[in-house]
């Protein structure tokens, strides 16, 4: 070897296999969004089990056959391929199950839109999130079918905040350490505050309804209180971390639908 | 290449931008137009010029016509009290091809989309509420696409016009004419089963 010339080592076999794995994989997940790309293709985002939120081009994604599959919430099997790891790559998509149950009811349809929009808005790309993935699957399957889905949705938002580093600590009072009569959440620390400790600051604190601690919501008004609290942290903590972009309008519309329903109750 | 004729090259370039056409098919189309100059090229150019000068959006419904009020809105016989809401002008034209609906239309110009930040203001929903009041509408038919965005928009509109106390309906969803059950997705079968009716 000539002196001064850098020696370029040939790629080892296991390196090639690792690269091959990264640029050609199969997984499954929930479809978050699909946008038209050119005349016939679509760029889709899928929240996959092992690869997190991942985008790719679907050739023929605007076709009559595939457009029906590429709906938010649909569970799909995907095969991703790219020439280089940082390319957007292309997906081959096969439907596993449509989440049409969510479309049967106005509230669950708006909840589906909100969940998919929040995931597309906030999840880092290509980072697996196994607990959040499992919770999302559970929620999407329950929408419109399981009567307890509104409570699940609320807990799912708490889980989303937790996953992204903005989790709330609702186990004990931030002031006294008490675990009883926790009825408020501090808007600054995200920790629970008991009724006794709240004192004169009670009106400055966020509500902590029982449904935020896992009890099924007794009414739409109670669910709204819980969403008010999670919404505060989504808006004041999560959104600024996402480059100060506003929260997806789909979440606001979901809350509005619930508010109108609560007014009728 | 057309061997140094910029006018023809420009025409090919513009034609290639049309949906369904690429550079090769645009070149073939232009060649055909030139060969049939009298029968095709000149009338086409005249027709395009006329449309370019007169085509405009109907101020009332959003349809495309050559006057400020389209033919449907200007026709008193179409004031049946039924208003059909469609996403796009192409959907309106599809409905008209069926020759079934005799009322008037309202074109939204899209659907609510969280991803693309399309809100009610970007659509023609405020104008829709005005029209319902002004034109004494008795029924609103939501003929939006059966996609998640389409359904979300339909529910949103239904909520907005519920206080007006008029009948709100939507197109049925289910097995298409000529469709075979074996080829339908489970969502369509579920919708069809839910919307079953007595024979």
């Amino acid at each position: 070897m000539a002196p001064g010339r850098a020696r370029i080592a040939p790629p080892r076999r296991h390196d090639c296999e690792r690269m091959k794995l990264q640029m050609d994989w199969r997984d499954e997940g929930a479809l978050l969004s699909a946008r038209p790309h050119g005349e016939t293709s679509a760029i889709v985002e899928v929240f996959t089990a092992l690869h997190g939120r991942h985008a790719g081009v679907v050739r023929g994604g605007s076709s009559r056959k595939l457009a029906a599959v590429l709906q938010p919430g649909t569970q799909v099997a995907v095969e991703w391929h790219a020439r280089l790891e940082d390319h957007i790559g292309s997906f081959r998509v096969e439907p596993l199950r449509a989440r049409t149950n969510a479309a049967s009811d106005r509230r669950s349809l708006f909840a589906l839109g909100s969940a998919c929009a929040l995931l597309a808005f906030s999840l880092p790309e290509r980072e697996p999130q196994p607990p959040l993935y499992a919770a999302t699957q559970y929620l999407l399957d329950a929408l419109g079918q399981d009567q307890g889905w509104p409570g699940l949705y609320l807990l799912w938002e708490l889980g989303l905040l937790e996953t992204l580093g903005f989790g709330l600590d609702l186990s004990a009072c931030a002031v006294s350490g008490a675990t009883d009569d926790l009825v408020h959440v501090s808007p600054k620390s995200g920790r629970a505050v008991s009724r006794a400790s709240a004192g004169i600051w009670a009106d400055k604190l966020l509500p902590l309804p029982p449904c935020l601690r896992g009890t099924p919501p007794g009414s739409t008004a109670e669910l709204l209180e819980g969403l008010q609290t999670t919404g505060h942290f989504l808006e004041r903590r999560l959104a600024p971390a996402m480059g100060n972009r506003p929260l997806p309008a789909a979440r606001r519309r979901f809350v509005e639908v619930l508010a109108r329903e609560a007014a009728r109750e | 290449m057309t061997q140094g004729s910029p006018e023809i090259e420009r025409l090919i370039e513009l034609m290639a931008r049309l949906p369904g056409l690429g550079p090769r098919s645009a070149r073939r189309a232009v060649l055909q137009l030139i060969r049939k100059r009298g029968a095709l090229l000149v009338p086409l150019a005249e027709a395009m010029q006329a449309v370019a000068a007169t085509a405009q959006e109907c101020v009332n419904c959003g349809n495309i016509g050559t006057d400020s009020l389209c033919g449907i809105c200007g026709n008193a016989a179409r004031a049946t009290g039924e208003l059909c809401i469609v996403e796009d002008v192409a959907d309106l034209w599809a409905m008209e091809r069926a020759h079934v609906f005799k009322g008037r239309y309202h074109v939204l110009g899209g659907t609510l989309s969280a991803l693309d930040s399309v809100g009610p203001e970007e659509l023609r929903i405020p104008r829709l509420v005005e029209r319902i009041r002004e034109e004494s509408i008795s029924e609103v038919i939501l003929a939006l696409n059966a996609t998640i965005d389409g359904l979300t928009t339909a529910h949103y509109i239904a909520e907005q016009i519920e206080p007006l106390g008029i009948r709100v309906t939507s197109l049925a969803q289910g097995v298409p004419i000529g469709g075979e059950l074996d080829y339908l997705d489970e969502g369509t079968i579920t919708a069809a089963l839910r919307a079953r009716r007595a024979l």
Side-chain angles (χ1 to χ4, degrees), chain A residues 48-70:
Chain A
T48 60
L50 305 173
H51 298 85
R53 180 169 73 92
H54 210 293
V57 176
V58 178
R59 310 273 172 218
S62 302
S63 70
R64 202 181 295 177
K65 187 183 161 198
L66 264 179
V69 171
L70 303 181

Side-chain angles (χ1 to χ4, degrees), chain A residues 99-104 107-109 111-113 115 138-146 149-150 152-153:
Chain A
R99 297 235 162 72
T100 43
N101 46 308
S104 60
R107 295 185 315 158
S108 57
L109 182 65
L112 172 75
Y138 197 68
L139 171 71
L140 296 182
D141 287 336
L143 287 176
Q145 278 187 331
D146 186 333
W149 73 259
L152 286 177
Y153 178 88

Side-chain angles (χ1 to χ4, degrees), chain A residues 35 39 71 97-98 106 260, chain B residues 20 116 148 155 159 186:
Chain A
R35 295 163 178 274
E39 271 186 42
Q71 294 296 314
R97 62 182 183 279
R106 183 178 294 178
R260 276 192 284 268
Chain B
D116 299 322
I148 293 292
H155 280 295
E159 282 235 338
E186 66 265 40

Side-chain angles (χ1 to χ4, degrees), chain A residues 33 35 39 71-72 96-98 100 103-104 106 109-110 112 117 250 253 257 260 264, chain B residues 18-21 112 114-116 147-148 151-152 155-156 158-160 162 186-187 194:
Chain A
S33 67
R35 295 163 178 274
E39 271 186 42
Q71 294 296 314
L96 292 175
R97 62 182 183 279
T100 43
S104 60
R106 183 178 294 178
L109 182 65
F110 279 73
L112 172 75
R253 282 199 285 268
V257 164
R260 276 192 284 268
R264 279 194 292 263
Chain B
L18 295 176
L21 291 184
L112 295 176
L115 199 70
D116 299 322
T147 57
I148 293 292
L151 291 170
T152 305
H155 280 295
Y156 181 83
E159 282 235 338
Q160 296 300 304
E162 242 169 32
E186 66 265 40
R194 280 189 185 138

Side-chain angles (χ1 to χ4, degrees), chain A residues 18-236:
Chain A
R18 188 165 54 86
M19 284 170 73
K20 175 79 177 157
L21 276 175
Q22 284 170 346
M23 291 182 286
D24 195 350
W25 50 256
R26 287 178 186 209
D27 202 347
E28 75 166 83
L31 195 131
L32 300 181
S33 67
R35 295 163 178 274
H37 177 63
E39 271 186 42
T40 56
S41 301
I43 293 180
V44 302
E45 277 189 314
V46 185
F47 182 24
T48 60
L50 305 173
H51 298 85
R53 180 169 73 92
H54 210 293
V57 176
V58 178
R59 310 273 172 218
S62 302
S63 70
R64 202 181 295 177
K65 187 183 161 198
L66 264 179
V69 171
L70 303 181
Q71 294 296 314
T74 306
Q75 188 71 8
V76 288
V78 288
E79 198 179 315
W80 184 77
H81 176 76
R83 199 168 59 78
L84 293 173
E85 196 190 344
D86 54 355
H87 282 183
I88 188 166
S90 60
F91 272 138
R92 212 166 60 79
V93 178
E94 270 188 42
L96 292 175
R97 62 182 183 279
R99 297 235 162 72
T100 43
N101 46 308
S104 60
D105 164 45
R106 183 178 294 178
R107 295 185 315 158
S108 57
L109 182 65
F110 279 73
L112 172 75
S114 175
C116 288
L118 280 174
L119 287 169
F121 171 79
S122 60
L123 282 188
E125 269 200 276
R126 303 186 182 194
E127 276 184 32
Q129 312 284 355
L132 184 64
Y133 177 80
T136 305
Q137 289 292 307
Y138 197 68
L139 171 71
L140 296 182
D141 287 336
L143 287 176
Q145 278 187 331
D146 186 333
Q147 286 206 327
W149 73 259
L152 286 177
Y153 178 88
L154 186 62
L155 297 177
W156 176 85
E157 279 198 353
L158 277 179
L160 178 71
L161 286 166
E162 176 87 39
T163 303
L164 297 169
F166 305 104
L168 311 188
D169 180 1
L170 308 177
S171 57
C173 177
V175 183
S176 62
T179 53
D180 297 335
D181 206 22
L182 302 173
V183 291
H184 300 289
V185 178
S186 161
K188 286 192 176 170
S189 67
R191 295 185 64 188
V193 180
S194 69
R195 196 187 306 271
S197 304
I200 55 166
W201 293 284
D203 57 341
K204 289 190 167 56
L205 299 172
L206 295 165
L208 172 51
C211 58
L212 263 181
R213 302 188 72 199
T215 315
S219 65
T220 310
E222 188 191 330
L223 179 66
L224 276 168
E225 279 191 345
L227 288 171
Q228 182 196 339
T229 299
T230 53
H232 171 88
F233 292 99
L234 288 171
E235 209 163 317
R236 302 287 171 88

